[in-house]
């Protein structure tokens, strides 16, 4: 069946984000205009009346759900950081495209319980409805996958809203998948089908792209590794020597962050910052007070999660963030 009511509004890869980068992220909940926006093949616009998602594959009861069906089901809200893994063509380059938002939608687990997954199933394939070209590949769909265990966890939603407002077209509306705790690439926008299967999805977005090469083999880009950014001070704002300076920012990861350290000397020495707790999978605020001496200083932050995992210095998407600041003598 060909789908009605679909229109590509822009073609090709696109990234949009705040001009000041992470220094714009001053609010606990990121306003949509400060939240990065990413697409590989372009932006799709879907007539909400025409939208539906097929649930098929290894299920007892294949089904098709329309927008009104989801709207009639119980919904939940979930607060989560939302982070892009960066370019799949440069997977070790930190991009720090991140925000913290509140999603609202129908738990995917509720839908899967209705469809009744067969015992032989192990993965869910989730596909977007857009088409186009990315990295020289044409005619491929944006298809991702997740193990059944994650798909059944309470935080995974077919989302209809972000921060209390319906998802707009560029955000993946009327309905997108959100996989809190996992990199943004897994949160399929403009979702059109969910196929239950007994193997990983075969397309380029789960094979060629979004697999990290590790010493023990390739690892899907799923769980978000611990990461922290300094929001303030902003490198463009000169600091005065002797004034107390609050170094603060956000730390996040699939697992809760239990410690953040700050360095004011380019990583030679580290001091413990205070770290707030988290709600659902929100990011967590840290802060550290410093009396800066005159000169150039390289500030850094690094965090550790509940599993004891910390951040690499370089050469990783979650490499330690640094900000260089200029401190002058007050006159
Ligand atoms: N259908 C579809 N979903 C997609 C993508 C895409 O290209 N097509 N890009 C993914 C990537 S890489 C990211 S980081 C997030 C971005 O979501 P956002 O634009 O709401 O920030 O969407 C993901 N979902
Ligand atoms: Mo991304």
């Amino acid at each position: 069946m060909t789908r009605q009511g679909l229109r590509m509004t822009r073609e090709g890869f696109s990234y949009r984000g705040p001009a000041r980068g992470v220094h714009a992220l001053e609010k606990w909940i990121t306003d949509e205009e400060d939240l990065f926006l990413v697409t590989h093949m372009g932006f799709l616009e879907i007539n909400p009346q025409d939208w539906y998602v097929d649930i098929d594959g290894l299920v007892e009861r294949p089904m098709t759900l329309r927008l009104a069906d989801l709207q009639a089901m119980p919904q939940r809200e979930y607060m989560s950081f939302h982070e892009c893994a960066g370019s799949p063509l440069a997977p070790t380059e930190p991009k720090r495209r991140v925000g913290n938002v509140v999603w609202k939608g129908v738990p995917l687990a509720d839908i899967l319980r209705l469809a009744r997954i067969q015992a032989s199933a192990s993965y869910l394939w989730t596909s977007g409805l857009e088409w186009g070209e990315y990295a020289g590949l044409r005619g491929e769909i944006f298809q991702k996958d997740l193990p059944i265990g994650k798909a059944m966890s309470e935080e995974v939603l077919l989302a209809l809203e972000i921060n209390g407002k319906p998802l707009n077209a560029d955000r993946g509306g009327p309905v997108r998948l959100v996989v809190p705790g996992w990199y943004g690439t897994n949160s399929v926008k403009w979702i059109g089908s969910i196929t239950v299967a007994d193997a990983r999805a075969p397309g380029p977005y789960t094979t060629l792209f979004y697999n990290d090469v590790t010493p023990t083999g390739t690892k899907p880009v799923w769980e978000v590794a611990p990461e922290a950014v300094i929001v303030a001070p902003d490198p463009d704002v000169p600091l005065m020597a002797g004034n107390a300076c609050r170094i603060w920012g956000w730390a996040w990861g699939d697992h809760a962050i239990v410690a953040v350290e700050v360095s004011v000397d380019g990583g030679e020495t580290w001091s413990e910052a205070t770290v707030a707790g988290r709600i659902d999978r929100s990011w967590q605020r840290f802060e550290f007070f410093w009396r800066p001496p005159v000169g150039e200083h390289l500030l850094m932050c690094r965090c550790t999660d509940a599993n004891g995992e910390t951040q690499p210095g370089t050469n990783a998407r979650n490499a330690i963030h640094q900000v260089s600041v200029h401190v002058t003598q007050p006159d």
Side-chain angles (χ1 to χ4, degrees):
M1 196 178 8
T2 38
R3 296 252 185 165
Q4 307 290 306
L6 306 182
R7 188 167 69 94
M8 292 301 287
T9 53
R10 247 168 306 157
E11 283 174 19
F13 174 84
S14 164
Y15 162 75
R16 205 179 74 207
R20 289 166 60 220
V22 298
H23 303 293
L25 304 176
E26 283 159 346
K27 291 191 185 165
W28 163 238
I29 308 268
T30 310
D31 289 333
E32 258 217 274
E33 57 264 33
D34 290 329
L35 185 64
F36 70 93
L37 200 58
V38 165
T39 182
H40 293 77
M41 292 180 278
F43 287 101
L44 182 66
E45 205 175 84
I46 305 176
N47 179 355
Q49 307 307 315
D50 291 325
W51 178 85
Y52 60 86
V53 63
D54 287 318
I55 294 121
D56 55 25
L58 301 175
V59 291
E60 301 299 339
R61 293 205 338 190
M63 53 187 169
T64 295
L65 296 172
R66 309 191 72 89
L67 187 55
D69 299 324
L70 292 186
Q71 284 165 336
M73 291 178 75
Q75 313 223 352
R76 73 161 294 174
E77 284 192 333
Y78 197 86
M79 188 186 288
S80 184
F81 63 81
H82 177 45
E83 185 185 23
C84 173
S87 169
L89 310 176
T92 58
E93 214 176 278
K95 296 281 197 205
R96 314 196 198 279
R97 302 166 177 166
V98 65
N100 187 53
V101 297
V102 179
W103 302 105
K104 186 178 179 187
V106 178
L108 184 58
D110 291 353
I111 292 164
L112 296 175
R113 272 190 285 270
L114 289 176
R116 292 209 302 265
I117 294 178
Q118 293 174 10
S120 59
S122 47
Y123 290 90
L124 230 71
W125 300 355
T126 58
S127 310
L129 289 166
E130 81 276 28
W131 59 89
E133 183 178 334
Y134 175 72
L137 295 178
R138 193 163 258 293
E140 302 287 350
I141 53 172
F142 189 81
Q143 183 176 61
K144 302 293 297 185
D145 60 17
L146 56 167
I148 302 286
K150 179 68 177 180
M152 291 297 292
S153 21
E154 50 150 20
E155 69 274 11
V156 177
L157 304 177
L158 283 187
L160 283 72
E161 290 184 19
I162 184 172
N163 296 346
K165 282 178 276 169
L167 295 175
N168 63 36
D170 288 356
R171 198 55 73 190
V175 181
R176 76 179 291 173
L177 180 68
V178 291
V179 187
W182 285 22
Y183 286 104
T185 176
N186 300 289
S187 292
V188 173
K189 313 210 279 192
W190 313 294
I191 193 162
S193 75
I194 297 173
T195 300
V196 181
D198 60 3
R200 289 205 65 198
Y205 294 95
T206 50
T207 56
L208 194 54
F209 309 131
Y210 299 108
N211 275 313
D212 288 340
V213 178
T214 77
T216 51
T218 59
K219 182 173 174 258
V221 177
W222 283 344
E223 298 92 344
V224 171
E227 192 173 339
V229 293
I230 294 170
V231 173
D234 184 320
D236 295 333
V237 179
L239 299 175
M240 290 293 177
N243 289 355
C245 166
R246 187 202 310 259
I247 299 171
W248 78 269
W250 305 112
W252 66 91
D254 189 29
H255 301 288
I257 301 304
V258 295
V260 179
E261 296 160 286
V262 168
S263 174
V264 296
D265 56 11
E268 302 231 334
T269 60
W270 294 88
S271 311
E272 196 90 358
T274 58
V275 196
R278 72 174 183 176
I279 297 174
D280 300 335
R281 273 181 179 77
S282 70
W283 59 20
Q284 295 167 249
R285 188 185 159 103
F286 68 86
E287 68 177 35
F288 176 77
F289 281 93
W290 175 50
R291 271 189 198 282
V294 169
E296 296 291 329
H297 306 280
L298 190 57
L299 313 183
M300 296 179 168
C301 62
R302 79 175 173 206
C303 68
T304 305
D305 73 13
N307 284 353
E309 194 185 337
T310 185
Q311 300 180 243
T314 54
N315 210 35
R317 64 171 65 82
N318 67 328
I320 292 172
H321 184 222
Q322 56 184 57
V323 172
S324 106
V325 292
H326 182 65
V327 181
T328 57
Q329 192 65 55
D331 39 36

